[in-house]
Amino acid sequence: MHCPYCRNPDSRVVDSREVDDGQAIRRRRACPECGRRFSTVETAVLSVVKRSGVTEPFSREKVKRGVARACQGRQVDADALDQLAAQVEDAVRASGSAEIPSNEVGLAILGPLRDLDEVAYLRFASVYRSFSSAEDFAREIDEMRLHRDATTDDASRSESAEQRV
């Protein structure tokens, strides 16, 4: 790490701390040449590999823009989109890989989006999964109903278990 004051190519780490819930490391450094101190923030770069083979950095903003397009005209607030984008980034980072295929980012979006707004989910899924007929929509709606029923059954089971205790 070059010193920002004297451009010496060496520096000594004085202190290190995790920031942003462990997503980055803040290091306090000292230059042995000029004696001045400075801070650096290090983050792991997460790259998305597109279908064409092109690699680009992961972008929460790009996730939010894509989901916002699917939510156009729906009652979804900006905070919910921010939260969804954070969930997607956490899920993608949890894979432990520095490079992730773009289709895995899309899959990470689908689950939280289904829970957020079913119409927006159908819009996003229709583009992401390249729906070509009404049957594709019908099949996806049937799967959404099964998911909703399973979620409702789980919630009612946990409520009855709490009542027994």
Side-chain angles (χ1 to χ4, degrees):
M1 181 84 227
H2 288 275
C3 172
Y5 304 106
C6 70
R7 303 298 302 158
N8 182 35
D10 193 23
S11 64
R12 182 173 56 90
V13 175
V14 178
D15 182 40
S16 293
R17 295 185 182 170
E18 285 186 6
V19 292
D20 294 335
D21 297 325
Q23 297 297 317
I25 298 175
R26 180 183 176 274
R27 298 195 195 281
R28 191 75 181 134
R29 297 177 175 269
C31 175
E33 188 69 28
C34 68
R36 296 179 83 173
R37 292 184 174 208
F38 58 97
S39 295
T40 59
V41 178
E42 300 172 19
T43 59
V45 176
L46 180 62
S47 298
V48 176
V49 181
K50 308 283 247 171
R51 289 182 191 143
S52 64
V54 174
T55 302
E56 65 180 44
F58 176 84
S59 168
R60 262 191 202 187
E61 288 303 313
K62 193 168 182 180
V63 170
K64 284 175 24 181
R65 280 194 310 271
V67 173
R69 244 180 272 127
C71 293
Q72 195 169 5
R74 305 291 301 160
Q75 295 291 326
V76 178
D77 64 347
D79 289 340
L81 292 179
D82 289 337
Q83 189 175 13
L84 185 138
Q87 283 179 296
V88 170
E89 184 174 5
D90 290 345
V92 169
R93 285 192 184 276
S95 74
S97 178
E99 288 188 342
I100 188 114
S102 60
N103 67 321
E104 287 189 32
V105 175
L107 290 173
I109 292 171
L110 287 174
L113 184 55
R114 179 178 42 218
D115 296 335
L116 179 65
D117 187 277
E118 290 180 340
V119 173
Y121 168 80
L122 274 176
R123 289 175 178 170
F124 188 89
S126 70
V127 173
Y128 176 72
R129 293 187 175 152
S130 303
F131 287 4
S132 59
S133 66
E135 287 80 28
D136 293 337
F137 280 95
R139 191 172 26 257
E140 194 66 38
I141 289 169
D142 290 340
E143 287 181 27
M144 285 173 52
R145 287 180 178 142
L146 287 172
H147 174 76
R148 188 184 327 139
D149 292 344
T151 305
T152 304
D153 289 345
D154 290 344
S156 63
R157 269 190 238 124
S158 65
E159 284 178 16
S160 63
E162 288 175 9
Q163 291 172 354
R164 284 182 288 205
V165 174

